Each structure stands twice: as structure tokens, then as C-alpha cells.
Amino acid sequence: AARLVILISGRGSNMLSIIQAIQEKHLDAQIAAVISNRPDAAGIVSAQQAGIDTQLLDHKSFESREAFDASLIQVIDRYQPDYVVLAGFMRILTAEFVAHYAGKLINIHPSLLPKFKGLHTHQRALEAGESEHGASVHFVTAELDDGPVILQAKVPVMADDSAETLAARVLEQEHMLYPAALKKLIDEAKANTP
Ligand code: GAR
């Protein structure tokens, strides 16, 4: 089974959707560890309850982004992951970090990339008058929210949507999209292994 290390900063609902997909045997993977950069991330508690090894690496206790990323690499590499899965991990990563995990670093972003990179994607989609919105799972490259897309899910934007109602509709899709995108990668990797 493919080894995953999942990085979170908060709620962890996408992480839970991956845990569930593994438990239900939709995804041939195991989660080696869940790492949070925030001590108050609710997802850490959920991961512990699922019996998964958790680590906290508080970015505030490092003097630079480079120092934080270097320590993060050390913690992750202890688990020898096949994929490093960003699931609501709200830190920009250095080019060194990204290069270290080239081809293994995956993110979920709440927009139809290349539209709406960065933050506040749902509000921005509403303000732009979009009729469709969604989420993307993509490889991480050094440019923010810019790497090759693996899978996307679309939702309609309703006339009476707020950022919150739209976010909820997208999140429901994210919870199916992330396990499906990981399955696609893992199945392709298997097919390419002699
Ligand atoms: C998700 O909507 C994810 O797409 C988004 O944060 C939320 C995390 O929720 N990620 C980003 O905005 C990345 N820049 P979760 O902690 O419940 O999975």
C-alpha cells in the first residue's frame, strides 16, 4: 500500500475523507503520519482518535520559513512516504521543500484552477459572477497553486449563494475528489511498476 503523510492546519475534514476511503478499502494506502503546523488544529485530535501517528511542528517556534521547512522535511522523511498530501495546510512552502518532494507533493485547492489561486476563493468566484466553481487536486510546484491538475470537481453557483453556502457545496465535492485523485495516482504508479 502507498504510504501517505498528510499535512494539515485546521479542521481536517479532507484528511478524514482519506482515512474513510482507506478504511472502506476504496484506496490502497496507509497513513504513516498526520502533521500539523498549528497546535489547535482540530484534525490532530481526529487523527489520534483514528489511531494515526501525529506530529506537531509549530511554525511560530522557527525563526524563518527556511528553518521551518528544513525541520518539516526531517519529520516527514522519518516516515518514508510515497506521497505528501496537503489537506488544508495553510503555509506557503519554500522551493527547496517543493523540490525535495518533486512528483510526490499533492494539494487540494478550493477553486477550478487556474482560476482563483490563493485565498478567499469562494468569495472571489461569487464576485466574478462565475456560474461554475469547484475544487482541484494538483501536484505542487514552486509557484503557488500552479502545478499540474490531477482531477477537478465542479459545482454550480446558485443565485442566492453566500461564500459559506458555496464553500459547503464545494467541500462536499472535495471529500470525494481527494480520495479519487489519490486512487488515480496510486493506480497509475502500480500500472507502471514492473
Ligand atoms: C479545504 O476547503 C481546502 O480545499 C482548503 O482549505 C479547506 C481545508 O478544510 N485549502 C486551501 O485553501 C489551500 N490553500 P479541511 O481542514 O476540513 O480539510
Side-chain angles (χ1 to χ4, degrees):
R3 289 173 65 80
L4 313 181
V5 166
I6 302 182
L7 272 51
I8 65 169
S9 298
R11 179 176 55 187
S13 71
N14 277 290
M15 171 203 76
L16 278 173
S17 76
I18 297 167
I19 292 173
Q20 196 181 350
I22 294 170
Q23 285 172 346
E24 292 173 358
K25 304 209 182 296
H26 299 311
L27 190 59
D28 183 16
Q30 64 181 97
I31 303 176
V34 170
I35 304 172
S36 172
N37 68 306
R38 295 185 58 116
D40 57 350
I44 281 292
V45 180
S46 320
Q48 284 165 350
Q49 285 167 350
I52 296 166
D53 202 352
T54 61
Q55 301 283 346
L56 168 66
L57 205 65
D58 187 347
H59 62 277
K60 289 185 181 144
S61 58
F62 291 84
E63 59 184 32
S64 67
R65 193 176 291 281
E66 286 70 26
F68 172 72
D69 279 14
S71 287
L72 188 54
I73 286 176
Q74 287 190 347
V75 175
I76 293 170
D77 283 358
R78 274 187 232 148
Y79 295 99
Q80 304 201 330
D82 297 302
Y83 297 100
V84 177
V85 176
L86 308 180
F89 186 68
M90 303 306 278
R91 296 279 305 165
I92 291 178
L93 295 159
T94 58
E96 289 73 22
F97 184 97
V98 172
H100 186 80
Y101 297 109
K104 299 181 169 191
L105 187 56
I106 319 295
N107 183 42
I108 188 161
H109 181 77
S111 78
L112 295 174
L113 290 174
K115 287 186 175 177
F116 310 116
K117 298 173 182 178
L119 297 176
H120 312 300
T121 56
H122 308 301
Q123 186 59 40
R124 286 159 59 209
L126 289 177
E127 282 165 8
E130 298 288 327
S131 59
E132 270 189 339
H133 184 46
S136 308
V137 174
H138 65 99
F139 285 105
V140 177
T141 56
E143 276 309 289
L144 181 69
D145 299 330
D146 195 55
V149 169
I150 299 161
L151 275 184
Q152 289 184 318
K154 290 181 182 173
V155 301
V157 177
M158 307 298 191
D160 60 351
D161 265 334
S162 63
E164 289 71 31
T165 59
L166 184 54
R169 192 174 309 120
V170 172
L171 188 65
E172 202 183 315
Q173 292 298 314
E174 290 186 46
H175 294 161
M176 293 180 274
L177 182 68
Y178 219 162
L182 290 169
K183 180 172 165 48
K184 181 167 185 260
L185 287 181
I186 289 166
D187 287 351
E188 283 171 6
K190 269 188 206 163
N192 292 330
T193 308

